[in-house]
């Protein structure tokens, strides 16, 4: 019969040690308001060092996003399968007291079905994964699948929240990188830009 899919559980890797953490222990990116004070903190010797750390943090966030997105896709495919199996079980539940066989079709391969006649029964077999199949009473199978459906739906909602949280961390990290890059720009380059801007204004006035 159809598989009894287990629920997905998420346990993302921590992007960095310490600091406030969000869902799954994901470190929260801290927005830097005072760049000068931030650059005086231990370990922040130069803008290049800090920007490298922020780049590494960003890449870890992206890696977590990829893993969570894959789990989300698996759950979104599992939930309809569990619902379909539950519908079949409910139909079998109604027919188990009948003396007439149930006519159905079995999937043999992609787009290839075979007609079958199933006698009334109160037993079903569920795929549990890893090439394992177990026999259950219909009531037990239904209770198991309802539990799996509830867990999968709850985990899908949790994954949506985790992905939203990660998107916020992307934005905060990018904003912090931009602030530090602008604030710590080479003074000589900044002076040349100011001179260039001044020349443009002079030419416009003339």
């Amino acid at each position: 019969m159809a598989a009894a899919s287990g629920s997905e559980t998420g346990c993302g890797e921590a992007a960095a040690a310490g600091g406030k953490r969000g869902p799954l222990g994901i470190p929260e990116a801290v927005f830097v308001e005072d760049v000068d004070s931030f650059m005086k903190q231990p370990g922040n010797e130069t803008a290049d060092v800090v920007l490298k750390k922020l780049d590494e943090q960003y890449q870890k966030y992206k890696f977590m996003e990829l893993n969570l997105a894959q789990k989300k896709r698996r759950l979104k495919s599992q939930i309809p399968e569990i619902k379909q199996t539950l519908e079949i079980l409910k139909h079998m539940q109604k027919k188990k007291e009948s003396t007439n066989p149930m006519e159905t079709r079995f999937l043999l391969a992609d787009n290839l079905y075979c007609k079958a006649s199933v006698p009334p029964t109160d037993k079903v077999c569920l795929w549990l994964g890893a090439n394992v199949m177990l026999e259950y009473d219909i009531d037990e199978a239904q209770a198991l699948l309802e539990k799996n459906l509830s867990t999968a739906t709850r985990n899908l909602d949790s994954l949506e929240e985790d992905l939203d949280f990660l998107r916020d961390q992307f934005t905060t990290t990018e904003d912090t990188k931009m602030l530090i890059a602008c604030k710590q720009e080479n003074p000589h380059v900044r002076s040349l830009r100011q001179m260039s801007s001044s020349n443009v204004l002079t030419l416009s006035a003339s």
Side-chain angles (χ1 to χ4, degrees):
M1 199 175 167
S5 303
S7 61
E8 291 281 352
T9 55
C11 53
E13 294 291 333
K20 185 177 178 182
R21 294 177 182 271
L24 301 181
I26 301 171
E28 184 175 5
V30 180
F31 181 73
V32 178
E33 296 182 1
D34 189 342
V35 177
D36 292 329
S37 298
F38 179 75
M39 294 303 297
K40 292 176 183 178
Q41 294 178 9
N44 298 343
E45 291 82 7
T46 64
D48 288 339
V49 170
V50 175
L51 291 173
K52 183 179 178 181
K53 290 179 181 178
L54 290 171
D55 281 334
E56 291 173 353
Q57 184 90 342
Y58 187 88
Q59 292 305 316
K60 289 175 181 177
Y61 284 143
K62 293 296 290 183
F63 178 73
M64 287 184 228
E65 182 190 39
L66 177 63
N67 285 339
L68 293 178
Q70 290 174 343
K71 291 175 182 177
K72 178 182 174 182
R73 283 194 294 271
R74 283 198 294 270
L75 281 174
K76 291 189 78 171
S77 67
Q78 285 175 0
I79 288 174
E81 291 177 0
I82 298 175
K83 288 181 177 178
Q84 184 180 34
T85 306
L86 277 170
E87 289 299 319
I88 295 172
L89 286 178
K90 290 176 182 177
H91 183 68
M92 292 182 69
Q93 188 81 271
K94 296 176 182 177
K95 295 288 185 179
K96 71 178 183 179
E97 302 297 337
S98 173
T99 57
N100 298 321
M102 180 177 65
E103 300 296 327
T104 185
R105 290 183 178 86
F106 279 96
L107 179 65
L108 298 180
D110 289 342
N111 300 319
L112 179 60
Y113 290 82
C114 177
K115 287 185 178 181
S117 179
V118 181
T121 178
D122 60 353
K123 301 287 185 181
V124 293
C125 292
L126 297 181
W127 286 109
L128 301 181
N131 295 322
V132 175
M133 176 184 277
L134 287 181
E135 184 179 80
Y136 291 89
D137 291 334
I138 290 180
D139 292 337
E140 292 176 342
Q142 186 171 342
L144 174 63
L145 289 172
E146 286 174 349
K147 179 182 176 182
N148 284 353
L149 178 60
S150 175
T151 302
T153 303
R154 185 170 62 251
N155 285 346
L156 181 59
D157 292 339
S158 178
L159 281 173
E160 294 282 8
E161 293 177 4
D162 297 336
L163 287 167
D164 286 341
F165 178 81
L166 273 174
R167 293 185 191 102
D168 290 340
Q169 308 322 299
F170 293 147
T171 303
T172 302
T173 303
E174 289 170 347
D175 290 346
T176 301
K177 284 172 59 179
M178 188 178 299
L179 273 176
I180 292 174
C182 292
K183 187 75 174 180
Q184 300 298 316
E185 185 182 33
N186 189 301
H188 178 64
V189 174
R190 186 163 57 245
S191 176
L192 287 176
R193 286 187 178 178
Q194 290 173 347
M195 289 175 60
S196 175
S197 177
S198 176
N199 288 337
V200 170
L201 289 174
T202 301
L203 289 171
S204 298
S206 61

